[in-house]
Amino acid sequence: MLSWGDMARVLIDDSQWPLVLITWPEHPVTDEDVDVFVAERRKQVPRGKHVTLHLTEGGSGLRSRQRRRMAEYLREDAELVRGRLLASALVARNPVIRGMITALSWLTSPPFTQRVFADRASAEAWLSEVLVEAGVWSAPSDPRQASR
């Protein structure tokens, strides 16, 4: 049994908006964790154009039911997300996690561009380009130093 300190939780940090950092925990997430994630994202998306950076390096992945729930969320919220979530980058060194990401993409075609990267720097550079091309940023910069 997990102790309180070991409890899984998907951490969502929007303090660098329009870059939203999503850190997937090392320990398996629960169905409730996925539901909380979906609820939080539903609150954030209406704020406007943004990108997400999923940090999955320590993540243990999602179970089949959780992958289906994520696919349902993307289908249910496709119109809400379209045009607001410009792109999503996932940092995944683990081939199993990359496979889960691919499986989730097969279940539903997300209404945004999604790419998987082996390192965070490459993912952030790509997201910066996306924000510049969308006119959210006026010049290329480090997402962590962007003005809001």
Side-chain angles (χ1 to χ4, degrees), residues 45-73:
V45 169
R47 287 178 59 187
K49 293 181 179 183
H50 67 287
V51 295
T52 57
L53 174 58
H54 292 260
L55 304 175
T56 66
E57 292 106 319
S60 61
L62 299 174
R63 293 189 316 269
S64 173
R65 179 172 49 195
Q66 294 165 340
R67 289 191 302 271
R68 280 194 306 273
R69 176 65 184 110
M70 293 296 288
E72 287 171 12
Y73 157 62

Tab-separated table of all heavy atoms in Angstrom, residues 45-73:
chain	number	residue	atom	x	y	z
A	45	VAL	N	-8.318	25.132	-20.243
A	45	VAL	CA	-8.404	25.276	-21.692
A	45	VAL	C	-9.092	26.570	-22.131
A	45	VAL	O	-8.602	27.248	-23.047
A	45	VAL	CB	-9.066	24.035	-22.330
A	45	VAL	CG1	-9.415	24.256	-23.782
A	45	VAL	CG2	-8.143	22.821	-22.191
A	46	PRO	N	-10.192	26.985	-21.511
A	46	PRO	CA	-10.853	28.216	-21.965
A	46	PRO	C	-10.024	29.491	-21.809
A	46	PRO	O	-10.387	30.521	-22.374
A	46	PRO	CB	-12.117	28.284	-21.091
A	46	PRO	CG	-12.379	26.874	-20.690
A	46	PRO	CD	-11.012	26.266	-20.534
A	47	ARG	N	-8.914	29.441	-21.084
A	47	ARG	CA	-8.067	30.637	-20.913
A	47	ARG	C	-7.510	31.133	-22.235
A	47	ARG	O	-7.141	32.293	-22.350
A	47	ARG	CB	-6.908	30.351	-19.962
A	47	ARG	CG	-7.329	30.240	-18.519
A	47	ARG	CD	-6.181	29.920	-17.599
A	47	ARG	NE	-5.117	30.903	-17.637
A	47	ARG	CZ	-3.961	30.753	-17.003
A	47	ARG	NH1	-3.718	29.671	-16.295
A	47	ARG	NH2	-3.033	31.690	-17.074
A	48	GLY	N	-7.372	30.260	-23.209
A	48	GLY	CA	-6.876	30.684	-24.514
A	48	GLY	C	-5.803	29.777	-25.067
A	48	GLY	O	-5.591	28.664	-24.599
A	49	LYS	N	-5.134	30.298	-26.073
A	49	LYS	CA	-4.122	29.519	-26.784
A	49	LYS	C	-2.955	29.184	-25.862
A	49	LYS	O	-2.439	30.054	-25.171
A	49	LYS	CB	-3.627	30.293	-27.995
A	49	LYS	CG	-4.688	30.460	-29.057
A	49	LYS	CD	-4.159	31.207	-30.249
A	49	LYS	CE	-5.265	31.329	-31.292
A	49	LYS	NZ	-4.778	31.998	-32.497
A	50	HIS	N	-2.569	27.915	-25.910
A	50	HIS	CA	-1.472	27.441	-25.084
A	50	HIS	C	-0.932	26.133	-25.634
A	50	HIS	O	-1.484	25.572	-26.580
A	50	HIS	CB	-1.925	27.274	-23.620
A	50	HIS	CG	-2.933	26.189	-23.429
A	50	HIS	ND1	-4.244	26.292	-23.824
A	50	HIS	CD2	-2.826	24.956	-22.880
A	50	HIS	CE1	-4.909	25.193	-23.519
A	50	HIS	NE2	-4.061	24.354	-22.951
A	51	VAL	N	0.160	25.677	-25.046
A	51	VAL	CA	0.776	24.397	-25.378
A	51	VAL	C	0.995	23.624	-24.081
A	51	VAL	O	1.054	24.212	-23.007
A	51	VAL	CB	2.117	24.578	-26.129
A	51	VAL	CG1	1.907	25.241	-27.492
A	51	VAL	CG2	3.118	25.359	-25.293
A	52	THR	N	1.101	22.314	-24.207
A	52	THR	CA	1.379	21.503	-23.028
A	52	THR	C	2.663	20.715	-23.224
A	52	THR	O	2.969	20.246	-24.320
A	52	THR	CB	0.229	20.519	-22.713
A	52	THR	OG1	-0.022	19.685	-23.849
A	52	THR	CG2	-1.036	21.258	-22.315
A	53	LEU	N	3.400	20.613	-22.139
A	53	LEU	CA	4.625	19.825	-22.097
A	53	LEU	C	4.421	18.747	-21.042
A	53	LEU	O	4.343	19.041	-19.853
A	53	LEU	CB	5.824	20.699	-21.750
A	53	LEU	CG	7.160	19.985	-21.537
A	53	LEU	CD1	7.568	19.186	-22.768
A	53	LEU	CD2	8.242	20.987	-21.172
A	54	HIS	N	4.273	17.512	-21.501
A	54	HIS	CA	4.076	16.376	-20.600
A	54	HIS	C	5.431	15.777	-20.270
A	54	HIS	O	6.147	15.319	-21.161
A	54	HIS	CB	3.204	15.304	-21.262
A	54	HIS	CG	1.795	15.719	-21.469
A	54	HIS	ND1	0.780	15.328	-20.633
A	54	HIS	CD2	1.225	16.502	-22.424
A	54	HIS	CE1	-0.353	15.845	-21.062
A	54	HIS	NE2	-0.111	16.563	-22.149
A	55	LEU	N	5.749	15.779	-18.990
A	55	LEU	CA	6.992	15.180	-18.515
A	55	LEU	C	6.655	13.799	-17.981
A	55	LEU	O	6.013	13.661	-16.938
A	55	LEU	CB	7.628	16.059	-17.437
A	55	LEU	CG	7.900	17.499	-17.873
A	55	LEU	CD1	8.428	18.323	-16.702
A	55	LEU	CD2	8.871	17.534	-19.043
A	56	THR	N	7.078	12.784	-18.713
A	56	THR	CA	6.705	11.417	-18.366
A	56	THR	C	7.900	10.569	-17.968
A	56	THR	O	7.770	9.356	-17.815
A	56	THR	CB	5.996	10.726	-19.558
A	56	THR	OG1	6.930	10.577	-20.619
A	56	THR	CG2	4.800	11.509	-20.031
A	57	GLU	N	9.069	11.210	-17.800
A	57	GLU	CA	10.275	10.432	-17.552
A	57	GLU	C	10.128	9.444	-16.397
A	57	GLU	O	10.600	8.331	-16.464
A	57	GLU	CB	11.477	11.340	-17.269
A	57	GLU	CG	11.910	12.138	-18.454
A	57	GLU	CD	11.520	13.597	-18.331
A	57	GLU	OE1	10.410	13.887	-17.873
A	57	GLU	OE2	12.337	14.446	-18.695
A	58	GLY	N	9.489	9.848	-15.316
A	58	GLY	CA	9.332	8.951	-14.181
A	58	GLY	C	8.001	8.247	-14.175
A	58	GLY	O	7.715	7.444	-13.306
A	59	GLY	N	7.161	8.556	-15.157
A	59	GLY	CA	5.801	8.034	-15.178
A	59	GLY	C	5.732	6.543	-15.400
A	59	GLY	O	6.570	5.950	-16.065
A	60	SER	N	4.699	5.961	-14.839
A	60	SER	CA	4.514	4.522	-14.973
A	60	SER	C	3.481	4.180	-16.035
A	60	SER	O	3.210	3.014	-16.278
A	60	SER	CB	4.081	3.931	-13.630
A	60	SER	OG	2.858	4.513	-13.229
A	61	GLY	N	2.898	5.186	-16.662
A	61	GLY	CA	1.924	4.936	-17.719
A	61	GLY	C	0.511	4.813	-17.188
A	61	GLY	O	0.261	4.920	-15.990
A	62	LEU	N	-0.405	4.605	-18.100
A	62	LEU	CA	-1.821	4.487	-17.758
A	62	LEU	C	-2.301	3.074	-18.054
A	62	LEU	O	-1.869	2.456	-19.034
A	62	LEU	CB	-2.646	5.478	-18.597
A	62	LEU	CG	-2.332	6.953	-18.423
A	62	LEU	CD1	-3.124	7.774	-19.430
A	62	LEU	CD2	-2.625	7.405	-17.011
A	63	ARG	N	-3.217	2.604	-17.228
A	63	ARG	CA	-3.844	1.314	-17.486
A	63	ARG	C	-4.831	1.473	-18.646
A	63	ARG	O	-5.210	2.578	-19.023
A	63	ARG	CB	-4.548	0.815	-16.235
A	63	ARG	CG	-3.569	0.470	-15.109
A	63	ARG	CD	-4.256	-0.243	-13.939
A	63	ARG	NE	-5.529	0.334	-13.539
A	63	ARG	CZ	-5.680	1.287	-12.608
A	63	ARG	NH1	-4.628	1.780	-11.992
A	63	ARG	NH2	-6.878	1.728	-12.295
A	64	SER	N	-5.269	0.358	-19.182
A	64	SER	CA	-6.171	0.354	-20.335
A	64	SER	C	-7.404	1.224	-20.103
A	64	SER	O	-7.782	2.032	-20.951
A	64	SER	CB	-6.579	-1.087	-20.635
A	64	SER	OG	-7.565	-1.115	-21.630
A	65	ARG	N	-8.060	1.089	-18.967
A	65	ARG	CA	-9.264	1.871	-18.674
A	65	ARG	C	-8.944	3.362	-18.617
A	65	ARG	O	-9.721	4.199	-19.061
A	65	ARG	CB	-9.894	1.403	-17.361
A	65	ARG	CG	-11.139	2.194	-17.003
A	65	ARG	CD	-11.885	1.641	-15.834
A	65	ARG	NE	-11.000	1.387	-14.703
A	65	ARG	CZ	-11.354	0.632	-13.674
A	65	ARG	NH1	-12.527	0.052	-13.642
A	65	ARG	NH2	-10.526	0.469	-12.663
A	66	GLN	N	-7.791	3.698	-18.093
A	66	GLN	CA	-7.394	5.106	-17.998
A	66	GLN	C	-7.076	5.676	-19.377
A	66	GLN	O	-7.398	6.834	-19.659
A	66	GLN	CB	-6.211	5.245	-17.046
A	66	GLN	CG	-6.590	4.902	-15.621
A	66	GLN	CD	-5.397	4.676	-14.726
A	66	GLN	OE1	-4.286	4.411	-15.196
A	66	GLN	NE2	-5.616	4.789	-13.435
A	67	ARG	N	-6.468	4.877	-20.236
A	67	ARG	CA	-6.219	5.330	-21.603
A	67	ARG	C	-7.540	5.585	-22.320
A	67	ARG	O	-7.684	6.573	-23.036
A	67	ARG	CB	-5.370	4.311	-22.375
A	67	ARG	CG	-3.926	4.258	-21.904
A	67	ARG	CD	-3.043	3.448	-22.838
A	67	ARG	NE	-3.469	2.081	-23.044
A	67	ARG	CZ	-3.103	1.053	-22.290
A	67	ARG	NH1	-2.302	1.234	-21.249
A	67	ARG	NH2	-3.525	-0.160	-22.564
A	68	ARG	N	-8.516	4.706	-22.094
A	68	ARG	CA	-9.843	4.919	-22.684
A	68	ARG	C	-10.477	6.200	-22.153
A	68	ARG	O	-11.089	6.954	-22.904
A	68	ARG	CB	-10.758	3.721	-22.423
A	68	ARG	CG	-10.505	2.555	-23.363
A	68	ARG	CD	-11.615	1.524	-23.316
A	68	ARG	NE	-11.898	1.039	-21.976
A	68	ARG	CZ	-11.277	0.026	-21.379
A	68	ARG	NH1	-10.323	-0.621	-22.013
A	68	ARG	NH2	-11.608	-0.343	-20.164
A	69	ARG	N	-10.313	6.463	-20.859
A	69	ARG	CA	-10.870	7.684	-20.267
A	69	ARG	C	-10.234	8.930	-20.885
A	69	ARG	O	-10.919	9.913	-21.163
A	69	ARG	CB	-10.665	7.680	-18.738
A	69	ARG	CG	-11.115	8.950	-18.054
A	69	ARG	CD	-12.627	9.133	-18.183
A	69	ARG	NE	-13.036	10.384	-17.601
A	69	ARG	CZ	-13.483	11.435	-18.301
A	69	ARG	NH1	-13.597	11.372	-19.606
A	69	ARG	NH2	-13.824	12.549	-17.697
A	70	MET	N	-8.934	8.898	-21.094
A	70	MET	CA	-8.251	10.025	-21.720
A	70	MET	C	-8.746	10.206	-23.159
A	70	MET	O	-8.953	11.336	-23.613
A	70	MET	CB	-6.737	9.830	-21.684
A	70	MET	CG	-6.147	9.886	-20.285
A	70	MET	SD	-6.340	11.494	-19.496
A	70	MET	CE	-5.159	12.419	-20.449
A	71	ALA	N	-8.935	9.109	-23.873
A	71	ALA	CA	-9.452	9.193	-25.240
A	71	ALA	C	-10.869	9.771	-25.241
A	71	ALA	O	-11.206	10.608	-26.092
A	71	ALA	CB	-9.437	7.811	-25.895
A	72	GLU	N	-11.702	9.358	-24.278
A	72	GLU	CA	-13.065	9.914	-24.157
A	72	GLU	C	-13.011	11.418	-23.919
A	72	GLU	O	-13.776	12.176	-24.519
A	72	GLU	CB	-13.810	9.260	-22.992
A	72	GLU	CG	-14.249	7.856	-23.234
A	72	GLU	CD	-14.771	7.203	-21.959
A	72	GLU	OE1	-14.998	7.903	-20.943
A	72	GLU	OE2	-14.955	5.976	-21.982
A	73	TYR	N	-12.117	11.839	-23.033
A	73	TYR	CA	-11.961	13.267	-22.735
A	73	TYR	C	-11.632	14.037	-24.010
A	73	TYR	O	-12.236	15.081	-24.294
A	73	TYR	CB	-10.882	13.459	-21.668
A	73	TYR	CG	-10.240	14.822	-21.658
A	73	TYR	CD1	-10.977	15.970	-21.401
A	73	TYR	CD2	-8.877	14.958	-21.904
A	73	TYR	CE1	-10.372	17.223	-21.398
A	73	TYR	CE2	-8.267	16.198	-21.898
A	73	TYR	CZ	-9.019	17.331	-21.644
A	73	TYR	OH	-8.420	18.555	-21.648
